[in-house]
Amino acid sequence: MSTKEPAFETFGKWRNSLEKVQEVKNFPPGRHPSVTYAGLPVFNVAEMEPGFHGNIIHVLEFGLGDTVNAIPIIKGTRKAFPDACLVVYCEKRWLEIVRPYLSEKDELIGWDVRVHAYERILKELNGSGVSGVIIPYMLSFPEQLAYGESKQEALVRRLNLQLFVPEIRPELPISAQDQLRGEKILSAEGLVKNAFVVMAPNVGRQSNKFWKKSSFEELARLIMGELGVRVVLLGEGSEVDLDVPGIVRFSDLTVFEAGWVISQSSFFVGLDSGLSHVSAVFNIPSLTLYPYVSQDVLPFEVRVHSPFSSAIRTTSQCPEILPIDVLNCIRALKERGSLRPPTFCPACGRGMWYIDKASSYKVFRRCVCGTRITVSVGQHQTLSNEVRLSSFQANEMREDTFSLPENLPEMRPFLDGLKGKDHFTISGFLTQRMDFAQNKSESIHFSLDGILFCLKTLGYVPQKIIKSQLNDQKESLTAKFIAVDCSQDFQKISLEWGGRKLVVPDWRWYLQYFSWESWANEQLLEQLPKKVAEGDGFRAASEVAKAVF
C-alpha cells in the first residue's frame, strides 16, 4: 500500500500528490453526483454507476473519536464500489488506525491538525483539480435534530449508504503484539479481567464539556468503596491526576494498548472524548457523561456508538450530574443481566440510550422524541419495539376517541384499537411526575413528538393538536388524526411549541426540523435556518425562518 505523510510545509507538495492520484484514476463517464461541497462533487450511492472506478476521497475530521467512527464508512464505500480507489486524509497521529482497512491501490495521506483547518483542506482539494467524489465528514444535516442521529448516522443516511453500513460501530485494529503488551501492563499492576473499572477523566484539559476533578475523585472513591473493584485511569499526562489512594494511573499508553486495557475492564466511564469512542469497540457496558450544554453537541445526540453504551447529561430533570448518580447508573447497567439498553422507545422505535436519573433500583430512560420510561433494575429487557405496526387498512369512516396508554403493557392494545380507522381522536396525559417510590415495574410518559412519530409510521397525520398544561407536573393532549397517502401534499399545521405558536407549511416539517420541543433552547432555534440552508437549500431555510421568527 502506498502511504504518503507530507510535512505540508507548502501546499504545493500536497497539490502535486493529488495530481498524481488524478492521473491514475479518472472519474468515469456516466452520471455525476449532483450535490457539491466546497466545489467538489459529493459521494452518493444513488447517483453513481455500480462500476464506479474513480477516486472516493475521505477527509476525516479531527480527533481519535472521529477516526474510529469513520472506519465503518470507509469499509462501506469499499463494499459499495470495490473497483474504486480510496483516498483517505487522516490526522497523522491516527494513520495506523486507518491503514489496515485500505488496500494496496488506496492512498493514505496524513495531515497535521495544528496546521490545517478542515475548510482549508477542502479548498486545497478543490484547487488541485482532483477528480472523483468526496465524503466530507463535516456536512451539516438539519433533520439530524429530529432523528436524534450522530453525525456519522446522518452522513450514512444522506449518502444512501445504509445498505453498506447497517450499523455505525467504531473499530480499532489491535494486533497480537498490542495484546501482549497490554497483558504485561495489567499484570504489572495485579489487574485481572473484569475486576476493574476504567475512567478517562481528562482533568488536565480546559474545556466547558469536562466534569469537575472533585466529582471524578468522589466517583472513584465510591466505586472502590461501594462496588469493591479497583479503578484504572487512562489519559495523557495530567489528564489522570486524581488524588485518590489506591487508584491506578496509565498515562503513557498507545491508543492500541489503551484499547486493550479497556477491553479487559468490567465497565468504562468517560466524557465526550476519544477513549469513550474506543470503549464502543468492545462489548463492555459504558457510560458517557455530558455535564454541559454546548452548541457543538445536540441535546440527546447519540455520540458513542455501542449497543452496550448509555449516556447521562444535564437536563431540566437532572441539572447537575452527581457522583452518586453515576454510581447508581453503573450499578443498574452492570446488574441487568443483559448489557443491551433496557428498551426501545414505544413511540418512535429508537433506542433509549439516555438516562435522566438513576436510583439504586430504578433507571429513568429518555428517548430523543421526549418519551420517558421508568425501568426497574433487574427486569428483563422490554420488547417495546414489537408494538410498532407497519400499516393500516383504513376502511371505516366513523370516528372514535381513544385514550393514551398510561403504561407500557397497554401500548399494543392501544395500537390494535386504531386498525381500520380513517380518522380518530386521541386524548390523555402526556407527562406526569416521575416517582422513585412507584411500585410499577415500568411506567411510560409519552411526549407529543413521540406520538406523532409513532402514528406517522402507521400512516396517520395530525389535523389538529391541542395541548393543555394542567399544572407544573402534568399536561394533557387532544389530537385529531387522519389516514393519508404519504405521497400527497399536506396542509399547514399550527401548534404550541417552546412557549410560542408554531405554524409550518407542511406537518412533515415539524417532524423533520422541530420535533425536539421538550429540550430545544433559543440558541439552537436561532441556528436552525442556517443548518437548513446548509443541508436543504435556501428556499427551505426561508420557510423555516418564517416559522421560527
Side-chain angles (χ1 to χ4, degrees):
M1 181 180 67
S2 174
T3 304
K4 295 182 174 62
E5 298 185 36
F8 290 117
E9 295 175 357
T10 67
F11 278 97
K13 294 182 180 179
W14 192 2
R15 183 177 296 110
N16 291 338
S17 70
L18 289 172
E19 288 172 352
K20 181 178 180 181
V21 174
Q22 181 181 0
E23 293 171 1
V24 178
K25 299 291 183 183
N26 293 316
F27 201 96
R31 292 175 296 173
H32 286 220
S34 59
V35 178
T36 61
Y37 190 84
L40 296 162
V42 173
F43 174 92
N44 189 329
V45 171
E47 296 183 346
M48 295 170 63
E49 298 291 348
F52 177 77
H53 61 273
N55 299 319
I56 299 177
I57 306 162
H58 296 258
V59 183
L60 307 190
E61 289 190 71
F62 313 121
L64 174 58
D66 296 320
T67 303
V68 296
N69 282 315
I71 299 302
I73 301 178
I74 292 173
K75 293 172 63 177
T77 55
R78 163 61 69 225
K79 187 183 298 183
F81 300 100
D83 297 327
C85 173
L86 302 188
V87 182
V88 181
Y89 289 85
C90 172
E91 191 179 340
K92 282 184 177 181
R93 293 185 297 169
W94 316 126
L95 287 172
E96 297 308 314
I97 295 176
V98 177
R99 193 187 309 275
Y101 302 100
L102 302 182
S103 67
E104 291 291 334
K105 66 180 178 181
D106 297 329
E107 301 284 342
L108 180 59
I109 303 175
W111 52 274
D112 193 334
V113 66
R114 294 170 296 182
V115 178
H116 306 100
Y118 189 90
E119 292 77 11
R120 192 172 183 181
I121 292 173
L122 292 175
K123 183 178 179 181
E124 286 297 317
L125 275 169
N126 189 8
S128 72
V130 65
S131 64
V133 290
I134 187 171
I135 300 182
Y137 283 73
M138 290 185 73
L139 278 174
S140 177
F141 304 108
E143 66 271 33
Q144 179 190 351
L145 285 166
Y147 295 158
E149 296 170 317
S150 69
K151 292 182 292 185
Q152 293 82 12
E153 289 171 319
L155 186 64
V156 166
R157 175 176 52 81
R158 182 58 76 91
L159 303 184
N160 291 291
L161 262 174
Q162 298 97 320
L163 181 63
F164 306 99
V165 189
E167 180 185 22
I168 298 289
R169 188 77 184 271
E171 296 190 31
L172 184 69
I174 298 180
S175 67
Q177 291 79 9
D178 295 324
Q179 294 183 26
L180 183 60
R181 288 194 297 269
E183 288 174 353
K184 290 181 178 179
I185 290 168
L186 295 177
S187 178
E189 294 290 341
L191 296 168
V192 297
K193 185 177 175 64
N194 293 329
F196 60 95
V197 170
V198 168
M199 288 171 35
N202 289 331
V203 293
R205 301 189 195 181
Q206 297 298 318
S207 172
N208 66 343
K209 74 177 187 178
F210 295 142
W211 211 26
K212 293 182 294 186
K213 179 179 178 180
S214 59
S215 295
F216 268 116
E217 290 175 337
E218 182 179 349
L219 176 61
R221 286 190 286 267
L222 286 172
I223 291 174
M224 290 189 290
E226 299 290 330
L227 302 183
V229 295
R230 300 178 71 181
V231 173
V232 172
L233 303 183
L234 288 180
E236 298 178 1
S238 61
E239 294 176 359
V240 296
D241 286 348
L242 298 187
D243 185 15
V244 180
I247 211 163
V248 179
R249 300 175 182 83
F250 293 137
S251 61
D252 57 351
L253 306 186
T254 69
V255 64
F256 306 103
E257 293 166 349
W260 177 253
V261 171
I262 292 172
S263 74
Q264 302 301 293
S265 68
S266 64
F267 202 92
F268 177 88
V269 181
L271 299 160
D272 181 23
S273 59
L275 288 180
S276 293
H277 298 285
V278 169
S279 75
V281 174
F282 312 102
N283 295 339
I284 63 168
S286 68
L287 184 66
T288 306
L289 314 181
Y290 297 92
Y292 63 98
V293 176
S294 170
Q295 296 184 20
D296 298 327
V297 179
L298 304 180
F300 298 100
E301 173 192 346
V302 175
R303 294 175 69 84
V304 178
H305 296 283
S306 167
F308 312 111
S309 178
S310 297
I312 183 170
R313 65 164 296 154
T314 53
T315 66
S316 58
Q317 289 81 29
C318 179
E320 181 182 1
I321 299 176
L322 301 176
I324 189 63
D325 297 330
V326 181
L327 180 69
N328 286 332
C329 287
I330 295 174
R331 281 175 170 155
L333 296 172
K334 281 173 61 66
E335 295 172 2
R336 284 199 57 82
S338 170
L339 294 177
R340 292 185 176 272
T343 189
F344 289 90
C345 178
C348 70
R350 289 171 288 196
M352 301 186 78
W353 317 111
Y354 320 108
I355 296 175
D356 273 348
K357 194 78 173 175
S359 71
S360 59
Y361 53 93
K362 284 187 182 293
V363 175
F364 297 86
R365 290 266 179 176
R366 185 193 191 283
C367 179
V368 67
C369 75
T371 299
R372 297 195 303 273
I373 284 184
T374 304
V375 183
S376 293
V377 174
Q379 296 291 323
H380 295 296
Q381 177 171 332
T382 302
L383 300 178
S384 56
N385 57 319
E386 293 183 356
V387 304
R388 300 187 73 200
L389 308 178
S390 58
S391 63
F392 280 99
Q393 295 180 352
N395 51 23
E396 297 181 17
M397 292 302 296
R398 69 185 180 86
E399 180 176 338
D400 291 290
T401 299
F402 296 90
S403 296
L404 288 173
E406 293 186 0
N407 56 62
L408 198 57
E410 298 176 4
M411 191 66 182
R412 180 175 288 282
F414 166 70
L415 294 178
D416 287 342
L418 302 181
K419 287 183 179 179
K421 308 299 180 186
D422 268 347
H423 51 283
F424 58 88
T425 298
I426 61 174
S427 62
F429 298 128
L430 278 174
T431 61
Q432 62 187 65
R433 183 172 175 269
M434 300 169 70
D435 190 353
F436 277 92
Q438 212 166 11
N439 292 324
K440 294 179 180 179
S441 62
E442 293 182 344
S443 61
I444 185 170
H445 311 275
F446 282 107
S447 69
L448 172 60
D449 293 347
I451 294 167
L452 293 180
F453 269 107
C454 178
L455 296 180
K456 171 182 176 287
T457 302
L458 305 178
Y460 290 101
V461 301
Q463 284 188 316
K464 186 178 183 181
I465 299 175
I466 301 173
K467 190 168 62 169
S468 303
Q469 191 74 30
L470 302 181
N471 53 52
D472 291 340
Q473 302 292 346
K474 212 167 191 179
E475 60 183 352
S476 67
L477 169 76
T478 301
K480 184 176 181 179
F481 287 82
I482 185 170
V484 300
D485 177 357
C486 289
S487 64
Q488 73 182 66
D489 294 331
F490 303 130
Q491 299 298 314
K492 69 180 181 180
I493 184 174
S494 65
L495 68 163
E496 296 178 16
W497 187 86
R500 68 182 72 188
K501 185 176 182 180
L502 180 72
V503 180
V504 291
D506 185 326
W507 75 272
R508 292 169 297 186
W509 283 37
Y510 175 81
L511 294 179
Q512 184 169 357
Y513 299 126
F514 297 97
S515 59
W516 31 290
E517 62 164 321
S518 56
W519 42 267
N521 58 54
E522 291 299 321
Q523 287 181 323
L524 283 172
L525 186 59
E526 291 173 1
Q527 294 178 58
L528 188 57
K530 179 182 178 182
K531 290 181 177 291
V532 174
E534 293 173 350
D536 292 341
F538 179 75
R539 178 177 294 182
S542 298
E543 293 295 334
V544 169
K546 290 178 184 177
V548 170
F549 300 111

